[in-house]
Short mmCIF file of all heavy atoms in Angstrom, two decimals:
data_model
loop_
_atom_site.label_atom_id
_atom_site.label_comp_id
_atom_site.label_asym_id
_atom_site.label_seq_id
_atom_site.Cartn_x
_atom_site.Cartn_y
_atom_site.Cartn_z
N GLY A 32 -8.13 -8.11 -0.41
CA GLY A 32 -8.91 -8.87 0.57
C GLY A 32 -8.06 -9.37 1.73
O GLY A 32 -8.47 -9.30 2.89
N ASP A 33 -6.87 -9.89 1.41
CA ASP A 33 -5.98 -10.37 2.47
C ASP A 33 -5.52 -9.21 3.36
O ASP A 33 -5.45 -9.35 4.58
CB ASP A 33 -4.78 -11.11 1.88
CG ASP A 33 -5.17 -12.46 1.29
OD1 ASP A 33 -6.24 -12.99 1.64
OD2 ASP A 33 -4.39 -12.97 0.46
N LEU A 34 -5.19 -8.09 2.74
CA LEU A 34 -4.79 -6.93 3.54
C LEU A 34 -5.95 -6.44 4.39
O LEU A 34 -5.76 -6.06 5.54
CB LEU A 34 -4.27 -5.80 2.65
CG LEU A 34 -3.87 -4.53 3.42
CD1 LEU A 34 -2.75 -4.83 4.42
CD2 LEU A 34 -3.44 -3.44 2.45
N SER A 35 -7.15 -6.50 3.87
CA SER A 35 -8.33 -6.08 4.61
C SER A 35 -8.51 -6.88 5.89
O SER A 35 -8.89 -6.33 6.93
CB SER A 35 -9.57 -6.25 3.72
OG SER A 35 -10.74 -5.99 4.43
N ALA A 36 -8.20 -8.16 5.83
CA ALA A 36 -8.40 -9.04 6.99
C ALA A 36 -7.31 -8.86 8.05
O ALA A 36 -7.56 -9.11 9.23
CB ALA A 36 -8.43 -10.49 6.52
N GLU A 37 -6.13 -8.44 7.67
CA GLU A 37 -5.00 -8.38 8.60
C GLU A 37 -5.20 -7.42 9.78
O GLU A 37 -4.92 -7.80 10.92
CB GLU A 37 -3.71 -8.05 7.86
CG GLU A 37 -3.15 -9.21 7.08
CD GLU A 37 -2.74 -10.38 7.95
OE1 GLU A 37 -2.15 -10.17 9.03
OE2 GLU A 37 -3.03 -11.52 7.56
N PRO A 38 -5.65 -6.17 9.57
CA PRO A 38 -5.82 -5.28 10.72
C PRO A 38 -6.79 -5.83 11.77
O PRO A 38 -6.58 -5.66 12.96
CB PRO A 38 -6.34 -3.98 10.11
CG PRO A 38 -5.82 -4.01 8.72
CD PRO A 38 -5.87 -5.46 8.32
N ALA A 39 -7.83 -6.51 11.32
CA ALA A 39 -8.80 -7.09 12.25
C ALA A 39 -8.13 -8.13 13.15
O ALA A 39 -8.45 -8.25 14.33
CB ALA A 39 -9.96 -7.69 11.50
N LYS A 40 -7.16 -8.87 12.62
CA LYS A 40 -6.43 -9.86 13.41
C LYS A 40 -5.60 -9.19 14.50
O LYS A 40 -5.25 -9.83 15.48
CB LYS A 40 -5.51 -10.69 12.52
CG LYS A 40 -6.22 -11.60 11.56
CD LYS A 40 -5.21 -12.32 10.70
CE LYS A 40 -5.87 -13.15 9.62
NZ LYS A 40 -4.88 -13.77 8.72
N GLN A 41 -5.30 -7.91 14.32
CA GLN A 41 -4.50 -7.17 15.29
C GLN A 41 -5.36 -6.28 16.18
O GLN A 41 -4.84 -5.41 16.87
CB GLN A 41 -3.44 -6.34 14.56
CG GLN A 41 -2.46 -7.20 13.80
CD GLN A 41 -1.38 -6.39 13.14
OE1 GLN A 41 -1.09 -5.26 13.53
NE2 GLN A 41 -0.77 -6.95 12.11
N GLY A 42 -6.67 -6.45 16.11
CA GLY A 42 -7.56 -5.74 17.01
C GLY A 42 -8.12 -4.44 16.48
O GLY A 42 -8.81 -3.72 17.19
N PHE A 43 -7.86 -4.12 15.22
CA PHE A 43 -8.41 -2.91 14.62
C PHE A 43 -9.75 -3.22 13.97
O PHE A 43 -10.04 -4.38 13.66
CB PHE A 43 -7.45 -2.34 13.56
CG PHE A 43 -6.15 -1.88 14.12
CD1 PHE A 43 -5.01 -2.67 14.01
CD2 PHE A 43 -6.05 -0.67 14.78
CE1 PHE A 43 -3.80 -2.26 14.54
CE2 PHE A 43 -4.85 -0.24 15.31
CZ PHE A 43 -3.73 -1.04 15.19
N ASP A 44 -10.54 -2.17 13.74
CA ASP A 44 -11.78 -2.35 13.00
C ASP A 44 -11.46 -2.88 11.61
O ASP A 44 -10.38 -2.62 11.07
CB ASP A 44 -12.52 -1.01 12.84
CG ASP A 44 -13.16 -0.55 14.13
OD1 ASP A 44 -13.30 -1.36 15.06
OD2 ASP A 44 -13.52 0.64 14.20
N SER A 45 -12.40 -3.58 11.04
CA SER A 45 -12.24 -4.11 9.69
C SER A 45 -12.08 -2.95 8.70
O SER A 45 -12.69 -1.90 8.85
CB SER A 45 -13.48 -4.93 9.33
OG SER A 45 -13.41 -5.34 8.00
N VAL A 46 -11.26 -3.18 7.71
CA VAL A 46 -11.07 -2.22 6.63
C VAL A 46 -11.58 -2.90 5.36
O VAL A 46 -10.96 -3.84 4.88
CB VAL A 46 -9.58 -1.84 6.47
CG1 VAL A 46 -9.40 -0.90 5.30
CG2 VAL A 46 -9.03 -1.24 7.75
N PRO A 47 -12.73 -2.45 4.83
CA PRO A 47 -13.25 -3.08 3.62
C PRO A 47 -12.21 -3.02 2.50
O PRO A 47 -11.49 -2.04 2.36
CB PRO A 47 -14.49 -2.25 3.28
CG PRO A 47 -14.88 -1.62 4.57
CD PRO A 47 -13.60 -1.39 5.32
N PRO A 48 -12.10 -4.09 1.69
CA PRO A 48 -11.05 -4.16 0.69
C PRO A 48 -11.21 -3.22 -0.50
O PRO A 48 -10.26 -3.02 -1.25
CB PRO A 48 -11.09 -5.62 0.23
CG PRO A 48 -12.46 -6.08 0.54
CD PRO A 48 -12.89 -5.31 1.75
N HIS A 49 -12.38 -2.64 -0.67
CA HIS A 49 -12.60 -1.80 -1.85
C HIS A 49 -13.03 -0.40 -1.43
O HIS A 49 -13.84 -0.22 -0.53
CB HIS A 49 -13.68 -2.41 -2.75
CG HIS A 49 -13.35 -3.81 -3.16
ND1 HIS A 49 -12.35 -4.10 -4.04
CD2 HIS A 49 -13.88 -4.99 -2.77
CE1 HIS A 49 -12.28 -5.40 -4.20
NE2 HIS A 49 -13.20 -5.97 -3.44
N ARG A 50 -12.44 0.57 -2.11
CA ARG A 50 -12.79 1.99 -1.95
C ARG A 50 -12.71 2.46 -0.50
O ARG A 50 -12.06 1.86 0.33
CB ARG A 50 -14.17 2.25 -2.52
CG ARG A 50 -14.24 2.03 -4.02
CD ARG A 50 -15.64 2.33 -4.52
NE ARG A 50 -15.82 2.07 -5.91
CZ ARG A 50 -15.98 0.87 -6.44
NH1 ARG A 50 -15.98 -0.20 -5.68
NH2 ARG A 50 -16.14 0.73 -7.73
N GLY A 51 -13.38 3.56 -0.24
CA GLY A 51 -13.49 4.08 1.11
C GLY A 51 -12.16 4.18 1.84
O GLY A 51 -11.18 4.66 1.30
N VAL A 52 -12.16 3.69 3.06
CA VAL A 52 -10.99 3.86 3.93
C VAL A 52 -9.76 3.11 3.39
O VAL A 52 -8.64 3.52 3.64
CB VAL A 52 -11.33 3.47 5.39
CG1 VAL A 52 -11.43 1.98 5.56
CG2 VAL A 52 -10.32 4.08 6.34
N MET A 53 -9.94 2.04 2.63
CA MET A 53 -8.78 1.32 2.07
C MET A 53 -7.97 2.25 1.17
O MET A 53 -6.74 2.23 1.21
CB MET A 53 -9.23 0.08 1.29
CG MET A 53 -8.07 -0.71 0.68
SD MET A 53 -6.90 -1.42 1.87
CE MET A 53 -7.82 -2.86 2.40
N THR A 54 -8.64 3.08 0.39
CA THR A 54 -7.94 4.03 -0.48
C THR A 54 -7.06 4.97 0.34
O THR A 54 -5.88 5.17 0.03
CB THR A 54 -8.96 4.84 -1.30
OG1 THR A 54 -9.73 3.93 -2.10
CG2 THR A 54 -8.28 5.85 -2.20
N TYR A 55 -7.62 5.52 1.40
CA TYR A 55 -6.87 6.44 2.25
C TYR A 55 -5.77 5.72 3.02
O TYR A 55 -4.66 6.23 3.18
CB TYR A 55 -7.80 7.17 3.22
CG TYR A 55 -8.80 8.02 2.51
CD1 TYR A 55 -10.15 7.70 2.54
CD2 TYR A 55 -8.39 9.14 1.80
CE1 TYR A 55 -11.08 8.48 1.87
CE2 TYR A 55 -9.32 9.93 1.13
CZ TYR A 55 -10.65 9.60 1.17
OH TYR A 55 -11.56 10.38 0.51
N LEU A 56 -6.08 4.53 3.48
CA LEU A 56 -5.10 3.75 4.23
C LEU A 56 -3.86 3.47 3.37
O LEU A 56 -2.73 3.66 3.81
CB LEU A 56 -5.72 2.43 4.71
CG LEU A 56 -4.81 1.54 5.53
CD1 LEU A 56 -4.69 2.08 6.96
CD2 LEU A 56 -5.36 0.13 5.57
N LEU A 57 -4.08 3.04 2.12
CA LEU A 57 -2.95 2.73 1.25
C LEU A 57 -2.15 3.98 0.89
O LEU A 57 -0.92 3.93 0.81
CB LEU A 57 -3.43 1.99 0.00
CG LEU A 57 -3.91 0.57 0.28
CD1 LEU A 57 -4.49 -0.05 -0.97
CD2 LEU A 57 -2.82 -0.29 0.86
N LYS A 58 -2.82 5.09 0.69
CA LYS A 58 -2.10 6.35 0.44
C LYS A 58 -1.25 6.70 1.65
O LYS A 58 -0.07 7.03 1.51
CB LYS A 58 -3.08 7.48 0.15
CG LYS A 58 -2.38 8.82 -0.04
CD LYS A 58 -3.36 9.94 -0.29
CE LYS A 58 -2.61 11.26 -0.46
NZ LYS A 58 -3.54 12.37 -0.70
N ASP A 59 -1.82 6.61 2.82
CA ASP A 59 -1.10 6.98 4.04
C ASP A 59 0.03 5.98 4.34
O ASP A 59 1.06 6.37 4.88
CB ASP A 59 -2.05 7.13 5.20
CG ASP A 59 -2.95 8.36 5.03
OD1 ASP A 59 -2.56 9.29 4.31
OD2 ASP A 59 -4.04 8.38 5.62
N VAL A 60 -0.14 4.74 3.96
CA VAL A 60 0.95 3.76 4.09
C VAL A 60 2.11 4.17 3.19
O VAL A 60 3.27 4.11 3.58
CB VAL A 60 0.45 2.33 3.75
CG1 VAL A 60 1.60 1.40 3.45
CG2 VAL A 60 -0.39 1.78 4.89
N CYS A 61 1.80 4.60 1.98
CA CYS A 61 2.85 5.04 1.05
C CYS A 61 3.59 6.27 1.57
O CYS A 61 4.78 6.44 1.31
CB CYS A 61 2.26 5.35 -0.33
SG CYS A 61 1.72 3.88 -1.22
N LEU A 62 2.89 7.13 2.29
CA LEU A 62 3.49 8.35 2.84
C LEU A 62 4.20 8.11 4.17
O LEU A 62 5.02 8.92 4.59
CB LEU A 62 2.41 9.42 3.03
CG LEU A 62 1.88 10.05 1.75
CD1 LEU A 62 0.62 10.85 2.04
CD2 LEU A 62 2.94 10.90 1.08
N HIS A 63 3.90 7.00 4.83
CA HIS A 63 4.46 6.70 6.15
C HIS A 63 5.98 6.57 6.05
O HIS A 63 6.50 5.66 5.42
CB HIS A 63 3.84 5.41 6.69
CG HIS A 63 4.24 5.07 8.07
ND1 HIS A 63 3.87 5.82 9.15
CD2 HIS A 63 4.99 4.06 8.56
CE1 HIS A 63 4.37 5.29 10.24
NE2 HIS A 63 5.06 4.22 9.91
N GLY A 64 6.68 7.53 6.62
CA GLY A 64 8.14 7.55 6.54
C GLY A 64 8.66 7.87 5.16
O GLY A 64 9.83 7.64 4.85
N ASN A 65 7.81 8.41 4.31
CA ASN A 65 8.16 8.69 2.92
C ASN A 65 7.48 9.99 2.47
O ASN A 65 6.86 10.05 1.42
CB ASN A 65 7.72 7.51 2.03
CG ASN A 65 8.13 7.66 0.59
OD1 ASN A 65 9.12 8.30 0.26
ND2 ASN A 65 7.36 7.05 -0.30
N GLU A 66 7.58 11.00 3.31
CA GLU A 66 6.86 12.25 3.05
C GLU A 66 7.24 12.91 1.73
O GLU A 66 6.43 13.58 1.11
CB GLU A 66 7.07 13.23 4.20
CG GLU A 66 6.39 12.81 5.49
CD GLU A 66 7.14 11.72 6.25
OE1 GLU A 66 8.33 11.46 5.96
OE2 GLU A 66 6.52 11.10 7.13
N ASP A 67 8.48 12.70 1.27
CA ASP A 67 8.89 13.32 0.01
C ASP A 67 8.53 12.45 -1.21
O ASP A 67 8.70 12.86 -2.35
CB ASP A 67 10.37 13.66 0.00
CG ASP A 67 11.28 12.45 0.06
OD1 ASP A 67 10.79 11.29 0.02
OD2 ASP A 67 12.51 12.66 0.17
N GLY A 68 8.03 11.24 -0.97
CA GLY A 68 7.56 10.37 -2.04
C GLY A 68 8.64 9.69 -2.86
O GLY A 68 8.34 9.03 -3.86
N ARG A 69 9.88 9.79 -2.45
CA ARG A 69 10.98 9.21 -3.25
C ARG A 69 11.15 7.71 -3.07
O ARG A 69 11.58 7.02 -3.98
CB ARG A 69 12.29 9.90 -2.90
CG ARG A 69 12.32 11.33 -3.35
CD ARG A 69 13.66 11.95 -3.03
NE ARG A 69 13.61 13.37 -3.29
CZ ARG A 69 14.59 14.19 -3.02
NH1 ARG A 69 15.71 13.73 -2.47
NH2 ARG A 69 14.48 15.47 -3.27
N ALA A 70 10.82 7.21 -1.89
CA ALA A 70 10.97 5.77 -1.64
C ALA A 70 9.89 5.00 -2.41
O ALA A 70 8.85 5.56 -2.76
CB ALA A 70 10.86 5.49 -0.14
N PRO A 71 10.13 3.72 -2.65
CA PRO A 71 9.10 2.92 -3.33
C PRO A 71 7.79 2.93 -2.55
O PRO A 71 7.79 2.94 -1.32
CB PRO A 71 9.70 1.51 -3.35
CG PRO A 71 11.17 1.72 -3.22
CD PRO A 71 11.33 2.94 -2.37
N MET A 72 6.71 2.93 -3.26
CA MET A 72 5.37 2.98 -2.68
C MET A 72 4.96 1.56 -2.26
O MET A 72 4.72 0.71 -3.10
CB MET A 72 4.39 3.55 -3.69
CG MET A 72 4.71 4.96 -4.12
SD MET A 72 3.71 5.51 -5.52
CE MET A 72 2.07 5.51 -4.79
N LEU A 73 4.88 1.36 -0.95
CA LEU A 73 4.57 0.03 -0.42
C LEU A 73 3.30 -0.58 -1.00
O LEU A 73 3.21 -1.79 -1.17
CB LEU A 73 4.43 0.10 1.10
CG LEU A 73 5.63 -0.29 1.92
CD1 LEU A 73 5.37 -0.01 3.40
CD2 LEU A 73 6.02 -1.72 1.70
N SER A 74 2.32 0.24 -1.29
CA SER A 74 1.05 -0.32 -1.76
C SER A 74 1.15 -0.90 -3.17
O SER A 74 0.18 -1.49 -3.65
CB SER A 74 -0.06 0.72 -1.68
OG SER A 74 0.11 1.74 -2.62
#
Side-chain angles (χ1 to χ4, degrees):
D33 289 341
L34 179 60
S35 174
E37 285 297 318
K40 292 178 186 175
Q41 296 183 23
F43 295 101
D44 287 344
S45 175
V46 177
H49 304 289
R50 296 181 183 77
V52 75
M53 180 63 79
T54 300
Y55 297 112
L56 182 77
L57 290 175
K58 177 182 179 180
D59 291 336
V60 162
C61 289
L62 288 168
H63 185 67
N65 185 28
E66 291 78 15
D67 65 6
R69 292 182 188 175
M72 299 170 65
L73 262 174
S74 70

